[in-house]
Amino acid sequence: MKILVSGAGVAGLSLGYDLGIRGHHVTIVERADHLRGNGSPIDIRGDAIEIAEKMGLLPAIHDARIRMTEQVHFVDENGTAIGRLPDDIGDSPDDIEIDREDLYWILANALPETVDLRLSQSVNSIAEHDDRVDVGFASGDPESYDLVLGADGMHSTVRRLVFGPERNWIRHLGLYVASIDMPGEADAEAERINPMFNYPGHLAGIGRFKDKAIAVMMFASDLIDYDYRDVEAKKKILFDQFAECRSWKVPAILDAVRDDPDIYFDSVSQIHMPTWHRGRVALVGDAGYCASPLAGRGTSLAMIGAQFLAEELDRSDGDHVTAFPRYEARMRPYVEFAQGTVEGGAALIVPPTQEAIIERNQMLQPVEAGQ
Ligand SMILES: Cc1cc2nc3c(=O)[nH]c(=O)nc-3n(C[C@H](O)[C@H](O)[C@H](O)COP(=O)(O)OP(=O)(O)OC[C@H]3O[C@@H](n4cnc5c(N)ncnc54)[C@H](O)[C@@H]3O)c2cc1C
């Protein structure tokens, strides 16, 4: 079949691989002019590890494994460690943490030659017919496909064009999150720790892995109305939110915000939809079932969803009318589980008041010398 995938994140690249090796002619369009590998490291968990094994990518993923979460220390405004997360939160044997960029390149390098990856391109119209889908693009000529798959993230264009506006599906969890490259911090301290500093309703932290450092910023807020494609608008929101804080390394982090041309900034939200397919169009990954960064399972859901969809198309000889509901039935329990794990996470990471910060700190484990 001739299949269009919108978005070259983990969901889109996994679809390219899973469908391409089954002999389908896949075109992936990515709006950015490069693979967007920036951001914090990501987790491959549970059944996604088995999926990676089936894809033949597990050895490369293991080779690129990093361990970051276990070294998170909460610090006070002077940078003195207050405590660390209890052992049962964070890294676990069924959790492989990997630099987002490494996973992108492992997936991209594994794409069969028949997969056509087009950067700086996006869908701007979709018209479904009995035997095909006609797609218009931001540039170039329209084309027809047998299937269109939306893997274009939480603010999916395919979802908006086919299923309706984002406000119908988004469930905001009350936080915003940003990650910012902070190269100056990469070797700043001998200890490889990841300090996190809270003040009411805010978190600022630094994560170190490999030879990189990223700053993480989170704050509590209702949904904010801004153009999510406008990087300067995102930066302004961060400046406004953190402007009054002169403590710890927050001023230096704001300098890093100014210097990073491609920060990641988004609401901590979930996407809940009654169905992920309509006619010849289906959604995979955050586009259909974002679980939010609090779940730490978005990458795994994207990889599992891509493989289930490809397998079900195989099993039904390419009959999407049979395959899409089967994909959805297999995927639903994973999504419901992942989306259900976020309870209490926001208050733990970004306590809303000084009292809540003190209460949270009481459950931290002491940091031993040398840890
Ligand atoms: C740059 C970036 C940084 C991230 N950093 C973090 C992080 O630090 N912490 C975290 O928890 N999660 C982060 N995420 C989200 C995380 O990647 C996803 O939750 C998870 O990996 C599922 O991936 P996905 O492929 O479904 O969606 P995404 O990773 O969002 O990928 C969607 C892709 O589609 C592209 N796209 C969007 N709209 C269009 C369009 N109209 N046409 C064509 N392409 C389009 C995007 O540029 C992106 O490459 C980040 C996502 C991105 C894009």
PDB file of all heavy atoms in Angstrom, residues 6-12 29-32 36 38-40 100 104 121-123 151-155 157 179 264 284-287 293 298-299 302, ligand 1:
ATOM      1  N   SER A   6       2.342  11.365   8.868  1.00  0.00           N
ATOM      2  CA  SER A   6       2.622  12.762   9.202  1.00  0.00           C
ATOM      3  C   SER A   6       3.370  12.804  10.530  1.00  0.00           C
ATOM      4  O   SER A   6       2.834  12.372  11.553  1.00  0.00           O
ATOM      5  CB  SER A   6       1.305  13.542   9.307  1.00  0.00           C
ATOM      6  OG  SER A   6       1.555  14.851   9.787  1.00  0.00           O
ATOM      7  N   GLY A   7       4.628  13.317  10.517  1.00  0.00           N
ATOM      8  CA  GLY A   7       5.416  13.432  11.744  1.00  0.00           C
ATOM      9  C   GLY A   7       6.535  12.414  11.798  1.00  0.00           C
ATOM     10  O   GLY A   7       6.299  11.218  11.563  1.00  0.00           O
ATOM     11  N   ALA A   8       7.750  12.880  12.088  1.00  0.00           N
ATOM     12  CA  ALA A   8       8.906  11.974  12.190  1.00  0.00           C
ATOM     13  C   ALA A   8       9.466  11.990  13.600  1.00  0.00           C
ATOM     14  O   ALA A   8      10.661  12.162  13.825  1.00  0.00           O
ATOM     15  CB  ALA A   8       9.976  12.361  11.172  1.00  0.00           C
ATOM     16  N   GLY A   9       8.569  11.833  14.601  1.00  0.00           N
ATOM     17  CA  GLY A   9       9.007  11.587  15.969  1.00  0.00           C
ATOM     18  C   GLY A   9       9.147  10.074  16.138  1.00  0.00           C
ATOM     19  O   GLY A   9       9.271   9.329  15.155  1.00  0.00           O
ATOM     20  N   VAL A  10       9.101   9.620  17.396  1.00  0.00           N
ATOM     21  CA  VAL A  10       9.258   8.178  17.631  1.00  0.00           C
ATOM     22  C   VAL A  10       8.125   7.403  16.957  1.00  0.00           C
ATOM     23  O   VAL A  10       8.351   6.359  16.336  1.00  0.00           O
ATOM     24  CB  VAL A  10       9.288   7.879  19.148  1.00  0.00           C
ATOM     25  CG1 VAL A  10       9.346   6.382  19.393  1.00  0.00           C
ATOM     26  CG2 VAL A  10      10.493   8.559  19.781  1.00  0.00           C
ATOM     27  N   ALA A  11       6.888   7.922  17.030  1.00  0.00           N
ATOM     28  CA  ALA A  11       5.756   7.215  16.409  1.00  0.00           C
ATOM     29  C   ALA A  11       5.938   7.147  14.895  1.00  0.00           C
ATOM     30  O   ALA A  11       5.788   6.077  14.290  1.00  0.00           O
ATOM     31  CB  ALA A  11       4.445   7.908  16.766  1.00  0.00           C
ATOM     32  N   GLY A  12       6.263   8.268  14.263  1.00  0.00           N
ATOM     33  CA  GLY A  12       6.369   8.313  12.805  1.00  0.00           C
ATOM     34  C   GLY A  12       7.527   7.467  12.284  1.00  0.00           C
ATOM     35  O   GLY A  12       7.384   6.730  11.299  1.00  0.00           O
ATOM     36  N   VAL A  29       6.271  12.713   6.261  1.00  0.00           N
ATOM     37  CA  VAL A  29       6.526  14.154   6.152  1.00  0.00           C
ATOM     38  C   VAL A  29       6.742  14.729   7.550  1.00  0.00           C
ATOM     39  O   VAL A  29       5.997  14.424   8.478  1.00  0.00           O
ATOM     40  CB  VAL A  29       5.385  14.923   5.427  1.00  0.00           C
ATOM     41  CG1 VAL A  29       5.360  14.580   3.954  1.00  0.00           C
ATOM     42  CG2 VAL A  29       4.025  14.685   6.071  1.00  0.00           C
ATOM     43  N   GLU A  30       7.789  15.514   7.694  1.00  0.00           N
ATOM     44  CA  GLU A  30       8.120  16.138   8.985  1.00  0.00           C
ATOM     45  C   GLU A  30       8.168  17.655   8.787  1.00  0.00           C
ATOM     46  O   GLU A  30       8.858  18.144   7.898  1.00  0.00           O
ATOM     47  CB  GLU A  30       9.473  15.614   9.486  1.00  0.00           C
ATOM     48  CG  GLU A  30      10.122  16.431  10.600  1.00  0.00           C
ATOM     49  CD  GLU A  30       9.276  16.548  11.879  1.00  0.00           C
ATOM     50  OE1 GLU A  30       8.765  15.523  12.355  1.00  0.00           O
ATOM     51  OE2 GLU A  30       9.123  17.693  12.379  1.00  0.00           O
ATOM     52  N   ARG A  31       7.434  18.361   9.625  1.00  0.00           N
ATOM     53  CA  ARG A  31       7.361  19.810   9.459  1.00  0.00           C
ATOM     54  C   ARG A  31       8.700  20.506   9.681  1.00  0.00           C
ATOM     55  O   ARG A  31       9.038  21.455   8.989  1.00  0.00           O
ATOM     56  CB  ARG A  31       6.306  20.390  10.407  1.00  0.00           C
ATOM     57  CG  ARG A  31       5.953  21.812  10.048  1.00  0.00           C
ATOM     58  CD  ARG A  31       4.841  22.344  10.894  1.00  0.00           C
ATOM     59  NE  ARG A  31       5.105  22.117  12.302  1.00  0.00           N
ATOM     60  CZ  ARG A  31       4.180  22.017  13.232  1.00  0.00           C
ATOM     61  NH1 ARG A  31       2.922  22.104  12.906  1.00  0.00           N
ATOM     62  NH2 ARG A  31       4.491  21.826  14.483  1.00  0.00           N
ATOM     63  N   ALA A  32       9.485  20.019  10.632  1.00  0.00           N
ATOM     64  CA  ALA A  32      10.780  20.650  10.910  1.00  0.00           C
ATOM     65  C   ALA A  32      11.775  20.328   9.787  1.00  0.00           C
ATOM     66  O   ALA A  32      11.561  19.404   9.007  1.00  0.00           O
ATOM     67  CB  ALA A  32      11.319  20.146  12.243  1.00  0.00           C
ATOM     68  N   ARG A  36      13.898  16.126  15.227  1.00  0.00           N
ATOM     69  CA  ARG A  36      13.936  16.975  16.428  1.00  0.00           C
ATOM     70  C   ARG A  36      14.340  16.153  17.655  1.00  0.00           C
ATOM     71  O   ARG A  36      13.515  15.802  18.482  1.00  0.00           O
ATOM     72  CB  ARG A  36      12.578  17.647  16.609  1.00  0.00           C
ATOM     73  CG  ARG A  36      12.185  18.443  15.362  1.00  0.00           C
ATOM     74  CD  ARG A  36      10.916  19.209  15.582  1.00  0.00           C
ATOM     75  NE  ARG A  36      11.096  20.223  16.598  1.00  0.00           N
ATOM     76  CZ  ARG A  36      10.129  20.605  17.452  1.00  0.00           C
ATOM     77  NH1 ARG A  36       8.951  20.043  17.389  1.00  0.00           N
ATOM     78  NH2 ARG A  36      10.363  21.533  18.331  1.00  0.00           N
ATOM     79  N   ASN A  38      16.162  16.964  20.212  1.00  0.00           N
ATOM     80  CA  ASN A  38      16.475  17.654  21.466  1.00  0.00           C
ATOM     81  C   ASN A  38      15.448  17.298  22.543  1.00  0.00           C
ATOM     82  O   ASN A  38      14.438  16.661  22.270  1.00  0.00           O
ATOM     83  CB  ASN A  38      16.520  19.171  21.241  1.00  0.00           C
ATOM     84  CG  ASN A  38      15.206  19.701  20.702  1.00  0.00           C
ATOM     85  OD1 ASN A  38      14.588  19.096  19.850  1.00  0.00           O
ATOM     86  ND2 ASN A  38      14.753  20.822  21.208  1.00  0.00           N
ATOM     87  N   GLY A  39      15.716  17.736  23.771  1.00  0.00           N
ATOM     88  CA  GLY A  39      14.794  17.426  24.863  1.00  0.00           C
ATOM     89  C   GLY A  39      15.448  16.474  25.844  1.00  0.00           C
ATOM     90  O   GLY A  39      16.605  16.104  25.697  1.00  0.00           O
ATOM     91  N   SER A  40      14.683  16.102  26.849  1.00  0.00           N
ATOM     92  CA  SER A  40      15.257  15.257  27.891  1.00  0.00           C
ATOM     93  C   SER A  40      15.315  13.807  27.410  1.00  0.00           C
ATOM     94  O   SER A  40      14.619  13.440  26.463  1.00  0.00           O
ATOM     95  CB  SER A  40      14.404  15.358  29.153  1.00  0.00           C
ATOM     96  OG  SER A  40      13.100  14.952  28.865  1.00  0.00           O
ATOM     97  N   ARG A 100      17.187  11.037  23.589  1.00  0.00           N
ATOM     98  CA  ARG A 100      16.186  11.114  22.511  1.00  0.00           C
ATOM     99  C   ARG A 100      16.852  11.102  21.123  1.00  0.00           C
ATOM    100  O   ARG A 100      16.406  10.420  20.212  1.00  0.00           O
ATOM    101  CB  ARG A 100      15.382  12.404  22.712  1.00  0.00           C
ATOM    102  CG  ARG A 100      14.383  12.792  21.649  1.00  0.00           C
ATOM    103  CD  ARG A 100      13.806  14.137  22.016  1.00  0.00           C
ATOM    104  NE  ARG A 100      13.285  14.063  23.363  1.00  0.00           N
ATOM    105  CZ  ARG A 100      12.071  13.628  23.648  1.00  0.00           C
ATOM    106  NH1 ARG A 100      11.254  13.300  22.693  1.00  0.00           N
ATOM    107  NH2 ARG A 100      11.664  13.550  24.874  1.00  0.00           N
ATOM    108  N   TYR A 104      16.272   8.515  17.963  1.00  0.00           N
ATOM    109  CA  TYR A 104      15.848   8.991  16.640  1.00  0.00           C
ATOM    110  C   TYR A 104      16.764   8.442  15.557  1.00  0.00           C
ATOM    111  O   TYR A 104      16.320   7.991  14.512  1.00  0.00           O
ATOM    112  CB  TYR A 104      15.856  10.528  16.595  1.00  0.00           C
ATOM    113  CG  TYR A 104      14.596  11.174  17.128  1.00  0.00           C
ATOM    114  CD1 TYR A 104      13.890  10.618  18.176  1.00  0.00           C
ATOM    115  CD2 TYR A 104      14.111  12.340  16.574  1.00  0.00           C
ATOM    116  CE1 TYR A 104      12.742  11.213  18.660  1.00  0.00           C
ATOM    117  CE2 TYR A 104      12.958  12.946  17.050  1.00  0.00           C
ATOM    118  CZ  TYR A 104      12.279  12.381  18.100  1.00  0.00           C
ATOM    119  OH  TYR A 104      11.143  12.972  18.568  1.00  0.00           O
ATOM    120  N   GLN A 121       8.132  19.620   5.418  1.00  0.00           N
ATOM    121  CA  GLN A 121       6.893  19.393   4.666  1.00  0.00           C
ATOM    122  C   GLN A 121       5.768  19.057   5.648  1.00  0.00           C
ATOM    123  O   GLN A 121       6.003  18.423   6.680  1.00  0.00           O
ATOM    124  CB  GLN A 121       7.094  18.222   3.686  1.00  0.00           C
ATOM    125  CG  GLN A 121       5.884  17.877   2.833  1.00  0.00           C
ATOM    126  CD  GLN A 121       5.439  19.021   1.912  1.00  0.00           C
ATOM    127  OE1 GLN A 121       4.953  20.048   2.385  1.00  0.00           O
ATOM    128  NE2 GLN A 121       5.592  18.851   0.608  1.00  0.00           N
ATOM    129  N   SER A 122       4.570  19.493   5.354  1.00  0.00           N
ATOM    130  CA  SER A 122       3.445  19.106   6.209  1.00  0.00           C
ATOM    131  C   SER A 122       2.140  19.081   5.418  1.00  0.00           C
ATOM    132  O   SER A 122       2.018  19.688   4.344  1.00  0.00           O
ATOM    133  CB  SER A 122       3.334  20.044   7.416  1.00  0.00           C
ATOM    134  OG  SER A 122       3.098  21.351   6.980  1.00  0.00           O
ATOM    135  N   VAL A 123       1.207  18.349   6.011  1.00  0.00           N
ATOM    136  CA  VAL A 123      -0.114  18.161   5.409  1.00  0.00           C
ATOM    137  C   VAL A 123      -0.954  19.403   5.673  1.00  0.00           C
ATOM    138  O   VAL A 123      -0.940  19.920   6.788  1.00  0.00           O
ATOM    139  CB  VAL A 123      -0.792  16.951   6.105  1.00  0.00           C
ATOM    140  CG1 VAL A 123      -2.254  16.836   5.734  1.00  0.00           C
ATOM    141  CG2 VAL A 123      -0.033  15.676   5.800  1.00  0.00           C
ATOM    142  N   ALA A 151       0.998  10.852  13.026  1.00  0.00           N
ATOM    143  CA  ALA A 151       1.961  10.596  14.105  1.00  0.00           C
ATOM    144  C   ALA A 151       2.622  11.922  14.434  1.00  0.00           C
ATOM    145  O   ALA A 151       3.824  11.995  14.694  1.00  0.00           O
ATOM    146  CB  ALA A 151       2.986   9.564  13.648  1.00  0.00           C
ATOM    147  N   ASP A 152       1.809  12.982  14.407  1.00  0.00           N
ATOM    148  CA  ASP A 152       2.359  14.335  14.492  1.00  0.00           C
ATOM    149  C   ASP A 152       2.122  14.985  15.853  1.00  0.00           C
ATOM    150  O   ASP A 152       1.954  16.190  15.965  1.00  0.00           O
ATOM    151  CB  ASP A 152       1.842  15.218  13.339  1.00  0.00           C
ATOM    152  CG  ASP A 152       0.378  14.988  12.998  1.00  0.00           C
ATOM    153  OD1 ASP A 152      -0.288  14.228  13.726  1.00  0.00           O
ATOM    154  OD2 ASP A 152      -0.110  15.583  12.024  1.00  0.00           O
ATOM    155  N   GLY A 153       2.171  14.143  16.910  1.00  0.00           N
ATOM    156  CA  GLY A 153       2.280  14.662  18.261  1.00  0.00           C
ATOM    157  C   GLY A 153       1.004  15.235  18.854  1.00  0.00           C
ATOM    158  O   GLY A 153      -0.076  15.176  18.270  1.00  0.00           O
ATOM    159  N   MET A 154       1.179  15.802  20.048  1.00  0.00           N
ATOM    160  CA  MET A 154       0.010  16.247  20.824  1.00  0.00           C
ATOM    161  C   MET A 154      -0.832  17.292  20.083  1.00  0.00           C
ATOM    162  O   MET A 154      -2.035  17.364  20.253  1.00  0.00           O
ATOM    163  CB  MET A 154       0.473  16.803  22.168  1.00  0.00           C
ATOM    164  CG  MET A 154      -0.675  17.055  23.112  1.00  0.00           C
ATOM    165  SD  MET A 154      -0.137  17.218  24.791  1.00  0.00           S
ATOM    166  CE  MET A 154       0.490  18.870  24.776  1.00  0.00           C
ATOM    167  N   HIS A 155      -0.177  18.119  19.258  1.00  0.00           N
ATOM    168  CA  HIS A 155      -0.932  19.148  18.529  1.00  0.00           C
ATOM    169  C   HIS A 155      -1.169  18.706  17.076  1.00  0.00           C
ATOM    170  O   HIS A 155      -1.068  19.508  16.139  1.00  0.00           O
ATOM    171  CB  HIS A 155      -0.160  20.472  18.565  1.00  0.00           C
ATOM    172  CG  HIS A 155       0.189  20.906  19.957  1.00  0.00           C
ATOM    173  ND1 HIS A 155      -0.762  21.272  20.876  1.00  0.00           N
ATOM    174  CD2 HIS A 155       1.378  20.971  20.603  1.00  0.00           C
ATOM    175  CE1 HIS A 155      -0.171  21.574  22.019  1.00  0.00           C
ATOM    176  NE2 HIS A 155       1.119  21.401  21.881  1.00  0.00           N
ATOM    177  N   THR A 157      -1.881  17.809  13.398  1.00  0.00           N
ATOM    178  CA  THR A 157      -2.644  18.432  12.311  1.00  0.00           C
ATOM    179  C   THR A 157      -3.627  17.423  11.701  1.00  0.00           C
ATOM    180  O   THR A 157      -4.767  17.773  11.383  1.00  0.00           O
ATOM    181  CB  THR A 157      -1.679  18.933  11.216  1.00  0.00           C
ATOM    182  OG1 THR A 157      -0.830  19.925  11.802  1.00  0.00           O
ATOM    183  CG2 THR A 157      -2.424  19.534  10.039  1.00  0.00           C
ATOM    184  N   SER A 179      12.300  21.898  28.172  1.00  0.00           N
ATOM    185  CA  SER A 179      13.694  21.469  28.308  1.00  0.00           C
ATOM    186  C   SER A 179      14.533  22.257  27.319  1.00  0.00           C
ATOM    187  O   SER A 179      14.111  22.543  26.199  1.00  0.00           O
ATOM    188  CB  SER A 179      13.863  19.956  28.168  1.00  0.00           C
ATOM    189  OG  SER A 179      13.316  19.513  26.987  1.00  0.00           O
ATOM    190  N   TYR A 264      12.239  22.852  23.842  1.00  0.00           N
ATOM    191  CA  TYR A 264      10.995  22.083  23.904  1.00  0.00           C
ATOM    192  C   TYR A 264      10.143  22.722  24.996  1.00  0.00           C
ATOM    193  O   TYR A 264      10.611  22.937  26.117  1.00  0.00           O
ATOM    194  CB  TYR A 264      11.288  20.616  24.247  1.00  0.00           C
ATOM    195  CG  TYR A 264      10.051  19.843  24.628  1.00  0.00           C
ATOM    196  CD1 TYR A 264       9.081  19.531  23.678  1.00  0.00           C
ATOM    197  CD2 TYR A 264       9.834  19.430  25.941  1.00  0.00           C
ATOM    198  CE1 TYR A 264       7.933  18.836  24.025  1.00  0.00           C
ATOM    199  CE2 TYR A 264       8.689  18.731  26.301  1.00  0.00           C
ATOM    200  CZ  TYR A 264       7.748  18.440  25.335  1.00  0.00           C
ATOM    201  OH  TYR A 264       6.616  17.756  25.683  1.00  0.00           O
ATOM    202  N   VAL A 284      -1.483   7.570  15.720  1.00  0.00           N
ATOM    203  CA  VAL A 284      -0.543   6.747  16.485  1.00  0.00           C
ATOM    204  C   VAL A 284       0.292   7.666  17.377  1.00  0.00           C
ATOM    205  O   VAL A 284       0.697   8.750  16.954  1.00  0.00           O
ATOM    206  CB  VAL A 284       0.386   5.943  15.540  1.00  0.00           C
ATOM    207  CG1 VAL A 284       1.397   5.113  16.346  1.00  0.00           C
ATOM    208  CG2 VAL A 284      -0.424   5.029  14.627  1.00  0.00           C
ATOM    209  N   GLY A 285       0.574   7.237  18.605  1.00  0.00           N
ATOM    210  CA  GLY A 285       1.432   8.015  19.507  1.00  0.00           C
ATOM    211  C   GLY A 285       0.671   9.172  20.141  1.00  0.00           C
ATOM    212  O   GLY A 285      -0.557   9.128  20.304  1.00  0.00           O
ATOM    213  N   ASP A 286       1.429  10.221  20.491  1.00  0.00           N
ATOM    214  CA  ASP A 286       0.831  11.362  21.205  1.00  0.00           C
ATOM    215  C   ASP A 286      -0.363  11.949  20.461  1.00  0.00           C
ATOM    216  O   ASP A 286      -1.273  12.506  21.087  1.00  0.00           O
ATOM    217  CB  ASP A 286       1.869  12.476  21.391  1.00  0.00           C
ATOM    218  CG  ASP A 286       2.795  12.211  22.569  1.00  0.00           C
ATOM    219  OD1 ASP A 286       2.722  11.117  23.145  1.00  0.00           O
ATOM    220  OD2 ASP A 286       3.604  13.106  22.892  1.00  0.00           O
ATOM    221  N   ALA A 287      -0.386  11.866  19.150  1.00  0.00           N
ATOM    222  CA  ALA A 287      -1.499  12.429  18.371  1.00  0.00           C
ATOM    223  C   ALA A 287      -2.834  11.840  18.826  1.00  0.00           C
ATOM    224  O   ALA A 287      -3.837  12.545  18.923  1.00  0.00           O
ATOM    225  CB  ALA A 287      -1.289  12.156  16.881  1.00  0.00           C
ATOM    226  N   PRO A 293       4.300  13.834  29.876  1.00  0.00           N
ATOM    227  CA  PRO A 293       5.630  13.506  30.390  1.00  0.00           C
ATOM    228  C   PRO A 293       5.583  12.904  31.797  1.00  0.00           C
ATOM    229  O   PRO A 293       6.489  12.176  32.181  1.00  0.00           O
ATOM    230  CB  PRO A 293       6.348  14.864  30.418  1.00  0.00           C
ATOM    231  CG  PRO A 293       5.635  15.704  29.430  1.00  0.00           C
ATOM    232  CD  PRO A 293       4.214  15.244  29.433  1.00  0.00           C
ATOM    233  N   GLY A 298       5.420   7.853  26.924  1.00  0.00           N
ATOM    234  CA  GLY A 298       5.003   8.287  25.595  1.00  0.00           C
ATOM    235  C   GLY A 298       5.763   7.584  24.475  1.00  0.00           C
ATOM    236  O   GLY A 298       5.195   7.191  23.455  1.00  0.00           O
ATOM    237  N   THR A 299       7.073   7.398  24.687  1.00  0.00           N
ATOM    238  CA  THR A 299       7.893   6.745  23.669  1.00  0.00           C
ATOM    239  C   THR A 299       7.493   5.286  23.508  1.00  0.00           C
ATOM    240  O   THR A 299       7.371   4.767  22.394  1.00  0.00           O
ATOM    241  CB  THR A 299       9.371   6.840  24.084  1.00  0.00           C
ATOM    242  OG1 THR A 299       9.684   8.216  24.212  1.00  0.00           O
ATOM    243  CG2 THR A 299      10.280   6.196  23.077  1.00  0.00           C
ATOM    244  N   ALA A 302       4.267   4.966  21.686  1.00  0.00           N
ATOM    245  CA  ALA A 302       4.447   5.242  20.255  1.00  0.00           C
ATOM    246  C   ALA A 302       5.017   4.019  19.538  1.00  0.00           C
ATOM    247  O   ALA A 302       4.555   3.640  18.455  1.00  0.00           O
ATOM    248  CB  ALA A 302       5.375   6.446  20.077  1.00  0.00           C
TER     249      ALA A 302
HETATM  250  C1  LIG B   1      11.433  18.351  20.075  1.00  0.00           C
HETATM  251  C2  LIG B   1      10.695  17.507  21.070  1.00  0.00           C
HETATM  252  C3  LIG B   1      11.180  17.417  22.363  1.00  0.00           C
HETATM  253  C4  LIG B   1      10.488  16.654  23.300  1.00  0.00           C
HETATM  254  N1  LIG B   1      10.988  16.634  24.562  1.00  0.00           N
HETATM  255  C5  LIG B   1      10.313  15.984  25.512  1.00  0.00           C
HETATM  256  C6  LIG B   1      10.791  16.013  26.840  1.00  0.00           C
HETATM  257  O1  LIG B   1      11.798  16.646  27.165  1.00  0.00           O
HETATM  258  N2  LIG B   1      10.093  15.315  27.772  1.00  0.00           N
HETATM  259  C7  LIG B   1       8.972  14.598  27.417  1.00  0.00           C
HETATM  260  O2  LIG B   1       8.381  13.968  28.274  1.00  0.00           O
HETATM  261  N3  LIG B   1       8.495  14.562  26.174  1.00  0.00           N
HETATM  262  C8  LIG B   1       9.111  15.247  25.201  1.00  0.00           C
HETATM  263  N4  LIG B   1       8.628  15.235  23.928  1.00  0.00           N
HETATM  264  C9  LIG B   1       7.428  14.430  23.631  1.00  0.00           C
HETATM  265  C10 LIG B   1       7.810  12.974  23.361  1.00  0.00           C
HETATM  266  O3  LIG B   1       8.727  12.925  22.285  1.00  0.00           O
HETATM  267  C11 LIG B   1       6.581  12.150  22.982  1.00  0.00           C
HETATM  268  O4  LIG B   1       5.680  12.142  24.086  1.00  0.00           O
HETATM  269  C12 LIG B   1       6.822  10.683  22.668  1.00  0.00           C
HETATM  270  O5  LIG B   1       8.105  10.391  22.236  1.00  0.00           O
HETATM  271  C13 LIG B   1       5.790  10.208  21.607  1.00  0.00           C
HETATM  272  O6  LIG B   1       6.229  10.654  20.364  1.00  0.00           O
HETATM  273  P1  LIG B   1       5.343  11.008  19.115  1.00  0.00           P
HETATM  274  O7  LIG B   1       6.161  10.610  17.940  1.00  0.00           O
HETATM  275  O8  LIG B   1       3.962  10.459  19.230  1.00  0.00           O
HETATM  276  O9  LIG B   1       5.191  12.597  19.181  1.00  0.00           O
HETATM  277  P2  LIG B   1       6.313  13.734  19.099  1.00  0.00           P
HETATM  278  O10 LIG B   1       7.566  13.322  19.767  1.00  0.00           O
HETATM  279  O11 LIG B   1       5.670  14.987  19.539  1.00  0.00           O
HETATM  280  O12 LIG B   1       6.647  13.820  17.524  1.00  0.00           O
HETATM  281  C14 LIG B   1       5.769  14.417  16.593  1.00  0.00           C
HETATM  282  C15 LIG B   1       6.575  14.849  15.368  1.00  0.00           C
HETATM  283  O13 LIG B   1       5.652  15.365  14.406  1.00  0.00           O
HETATM  284  C16 LIG B   1       6.143  16.597  13.917  1.00  0.00           C
HETATM  285  N5  LIG B   1       4.984  17.377  13.497  1.00  0.00           N
HETATM  286  C17 LIG B   1       4.120  18.065  14.258  1.00  0.00           C
HETATM  287  N6  LIG B   1       3.153  18.612  13.502  1.00  0.00           N
HETATM  288  C18 LIG B   1       3.428  18.254  12.220  1.00  0.00           C
HETATM  289  C19 LIG B   1       2.804  18.494  10.990  1.00  0.00           C
HETATM  290  N7  LIG B   1       1.697  19.245  10.919  1.00  0.00           N
HETATM  291  N8  LIG B   1       3.339  17.964   9.870  1.00  0.00           N
HETATM  292  C20 LIG B   1       4.480  17.215   9.929  1.00  0.00           C
HETATM  293  N9  LIG B   1       5.120  16.951  11.079  1.00  0.00           N
HETATM  294  C21 LIG B   1       4.591  17.462  12.205  1.00  0.00           C
HETATM  295  C22 LIG B   1       6.922  17.193  15.078  1.00  0.00           C
HETATM  296  O14 LIG B   1       7.857  18.156  14.630  1.00  0.00           O
HETATM  297  C23 LIG B   1       7.574  15.955  15.661  1.00  0.00           C
HETATM  298  O15 LIG B   1       8.792  15.659  15.022  1.00  0.00           O
HETATM  299  C24 LIG B   1       9.287  15.969  22.949  1.00  0.00           C
HETATM  300  C25 LIG B   1       8.814  16.046  21.649  1.00  0.00           C
HETATM  301  C26 LIG B   1       9.491  16.808  20.701  1.00  0.00           C
HETATM  302  C27 LIG B   1       8.949  16.908  19.291  1.00  0.00           C
END
